[in-house]
Amino acid sequence: MRLRPYIHKKDFGCIRRWIDGERVHSLWCADRTPYPPEAEDFWRLLIQEENENEGSAFTAVTDEGRPIGFFVYSADYMANSGFLKYIIVDPDLRGQGYGTQMMALILKYAFEISGVACVSLNVFDVNESARRCYRKAGFREEAEEKDAFSYQNEFWGRCRMTATASEK
């Protein structure tokens, strides 16, 4: 597996296929972009992330170049920390270790290239498979905000998870 910069014309179609329902969409982006995702709306979201948080979009690909995952990473050098958003893995590959492998590459990039001391992310408490993946990759739960997001008639808590370079 490799990480490369996101290529909108090449990668958006994959991401759109991976978001195969409203619930998945809400778990993935907390409804920060309309469902179903359209190319222009998604591009606007990425530009907003770049402008507001200096976030960069990446695609995880197989050695042959097949997209298998996506995320946005931003680094705050004053705080010596990184932050991950919009993490998704091809649903056909979930449960096979690709997510954990992708997270390991992300942390390698963050700690060795960006040089940050820690990387955080938020995940909804109902997304237990993602939480399990992040724990395997070395993330630890730091805080949880109850009822942070409502989806239809449900209320989801938001969990902050962090991995530190000293623990890797």
Side-chain angles (χ1 to χ4, degrees):
M1 180 182 301
R2 300 168 189 218
L3 301 179
R4 65 158 168 76
Y6 169 78
I7 302 168
H8 191 64
K9 288 182 179 182
K10 193 173 191 176
D11 299 335
F12 174 73
C14 295
I15 295 166
R16 184 169 186 196
R17 280 190 303 280
W18 299 342
I19 302 167
D20 57 1
E22 285 186 64
R23 184 179 179 87
V24 169
H25 179 263
S26 293
L27 286 168
W28 172 68
C29 74
D31 296 339
R32 288 193 174 96
T33 187
Y35 178 82
E38 297 296 337
E40 287 183 24
D41 294 326
F42 187 67
W43 185 249
R44 273 194 291 277
L45 176 72
L46 296 181
I47 295 300
Q48 180 181 352
E49 280 299 322
E50 183 180 307
N51 291 336
E52 293 178 9
N53 303 308
E54 297 183 6
S56 298
F58 291 87
T59 302
V61 297
T62 63
D63 289 338
E64 297 76 35
R66 175 185 167 210
I68 59 173
F70 171 85
F71 63 95
V72 171
Y73 171 76
S74 59
D76 179 343
Y77 294 107
M78 295 299 288
N80 200 23
S81 64
F83 199 83
L84 294 169
K85 290 182 178 178
Y86 311 112
I87 304 162
I88 193 165
V89 172
D90 180 339
D92 293 337
L93 302 176
R94 291 182 193 150
Q96 300 176 42
Y98 288 98
T100 304
Q101 187 179 352
M102 182 175 82
M103 296 308 294
L105 284 175
I106 292 168
L107 292 177
K108 181 178 177 80
Y109 175 84
F111 298 145
E112 295 179 17
I113 305 299
S114 290
V116 298
C118 64
V119 177
S120 297
L121 57 83
N122 289 325
V123 60
F124 290 119
D125 61 356
V126 297
N127 197 348
E128 188 52 43
S129 61
R131 290 171 75 171
R132 215 173 14 257
C133 173
Y134 303 148
R135 281 187 213 107
K136 281 184 191 176
F139 285 80
R140 301 290 173 253
E141 296 176 8
E142 283 191 329
E144 189 163 328
E145 179 185 352
K146 300 286 184 201
D147 300 334
F149 183 80
S150 65
Y151 173 76
Q152 296 183 1
N153 61 349
E154 301 174 29
F155 291 94
W156 300 345
R158 181 174 35 240
C159 180
R160 170 70 55 106
M161 298 181 79
T162 300
T164 59
S166 61
E167 291 180 13
K168 292 310 289 171

